[in-house]
Amino acid sequence: MRIDVFTIFPELINQATSISVIGRGRQAGVLDLKIHDIRESTTDTHRTVDDAPFGGGAGMVMKPEPVFAAVEATNPPRPLIYLTPAGRQFNQKMAQDLATTDGFSLLCGRYEGIDERIREHLIDDEVSVGDVVLAGGEVPALLVLEAVGRLIEGVLGNEDSTEDESFSDGLLEYPQYTRPAEFRDWQVPEILRSGNHEQVKKWRKAQAIRTTLNHRPDLIKSRGGITLEEAALLEEFGEQNPPTQL
């Protein structure tokens, strides 16, 4: 998997992706991350990447020349994705789809955004990581890099880690416990200490459903409610008259 990132702050991307699981994936050669400094494609002494907007207004706009030059000199893997609040909402399904490709590229905007000609003639897709305004696209790029990178085979030490986590089945993840079994008179659920792996599996599924119902009912609604089998699981583990739809 090759991922290219175009930014005016390459050190920010490089430092954050040199540690933890993404850093290990890079060191192992499983994840080929190439970081390009857009300023290196400028032609003036001051390495200018921005200018005032035509028509006036606050702030500055990223110029088309250095962005086009950086991308065209690199011929990066496509799609080239621009990180912007106007883009499609990034989610786990999108991360999974990107993880099945040979690679993709990310463009990090700055200032008031990019010249519209970049969007019209260079960008393949636009992605938003949430309804917030940030100083630039580097933090969203890091979010995408981690979400996708950890799904690439060989990046995580335990490949099973991605199968039962949040959003893998349209549900949030079930509660997790570790030692000690008792802490300040709070007990780990007995079923998790029972050694009955089949019952543990069922309990975890019931807890995932309950957690999602409590915290993200919109996810339950988007998957068409809960099935009769899932309702039976909730009832088995203590919830009376669980809903089958929202």
Side-chain angles (χ1 to χ4, degrees):
M1 166 70 76
R2 172 179 161 180
I3 305 175
D4 286 38
V5 181
F6 295 88
T7 173
I8 63 172
F9 293 112
E11 65 279 4
L12 191 160
I13 301 293
N14 186 56
Q15 183 174 3
T17 58
S18 296
I19 57 176
S20 190
V21 294
I22 302 302
R24 292 198 297 270
R26 292 181 68 183
Q27 292 170 9
V30 177
L31 178 59
D32 182 14
L33 180 59
K34 299 184 182 301
I35 305 167
H36 308 279
D37 185 353
I38 296 173
R39 291 190 186 278
E40 293 185 356
S41 294
T42 58
T43 57
D44 66 308
T45 303
H46 300 291
R47 305 210 307 168
T48 306
V49 295
D50 63 304
D51 206 335
F54 277 110
M60 305 291 276
V61 176
M62 290 189 72
K63 294 165 59 67
E65 302 101 309
V67 176
F68 270 86
V71 172
E72 290 172 347
T74 305
N75 189 26
R78 297 285 182 158
L80 174 59
I81 300 170
Y82 175 46
L83 297 153
T84 167
R88 296 186 296 134
Q89 192 74 38
F90 185 73
N91 56 28
Q92 189 66 16
K93 176 62 166 58
M94 195 182 300
Q96 292 166 343
D97 290 342
L98 287 171
T100 65
T101 67
D102 293 330
F104 60 93
S105 302
L106 300 171
L107 172 61
C108 304
R110 275 277 157 175
Y111 314 113
E112 295 301 310
I114 59 175
D115 185 288
E116 187 66 16
R117 289 164 291 189
I118 302 172
R119 175 183 272 112
E120 291 179 348
H121 303 291
L122 191 63
I123 297 300
D124 300 306
D125 199 359
E126 300 183 18
V127 166
S128 169
V129 299
D131 294 336
V132 294
V133 178
L134 302 174
E138 284 75 20
V139 170
L142 290 173
L143 186 153
V144 173
L145 286 170
E146 180 152 332
V148 176
R150 63 190 303 279
L151 297 175
I152 299 170
E153 184 176 355
V155 171
L156 289 182
N158 181 0
E159 300 303 328
D160 292 337
S161 297
T162 63
E163 294 183 4
D164 292 332
E165 60 193 9
S166 293
F167 309 112
S168 61
D169 189 29
L171 300 171
L172 299 179
E173 192 173 11
Y174 48 79
Q176 298 277 13
Y177 295 87
T178 188
R179 293 174 179 79
E182 180 179 341
F183 173 69
R184 295 184 178 177
D185 295 327
W186 300 315
Q187 304 280 340
V188 171
E190 182 62 33
I191 192 170
L192 296 178
R193 296 180 283 165
S194 68
N196 188 329
H197 298 297
E198 186 61 32
Q199 282 296 101
V200 168
K201 183 177 180 180
K202 292 168 63 177
W203 179 88
R204 283 175 167 169
K205 180 64 177 290
Q207 295 303 310
I209 298 167
R210 179 177 289 114
T211 298
T212 310
L213 281 169
N214 290 340
H215 297 282
R216 289 291 304 275
D218 59 298
L219 294 176
I220 298 292
K221 184 176 182 179
S222 67
R223 66 198 292 269
I226 63 175
T227 66
L228 293 176
E229 179 183 357
E230 290 170 340
L233 274 178
L234 287 173
E235 189 171 356
E236 179 179 350
F237 292 101
E239 183 165 325
Q240 300 300 315
N241 301 317
T244 56
Q245 59 183 2
L246 293 177

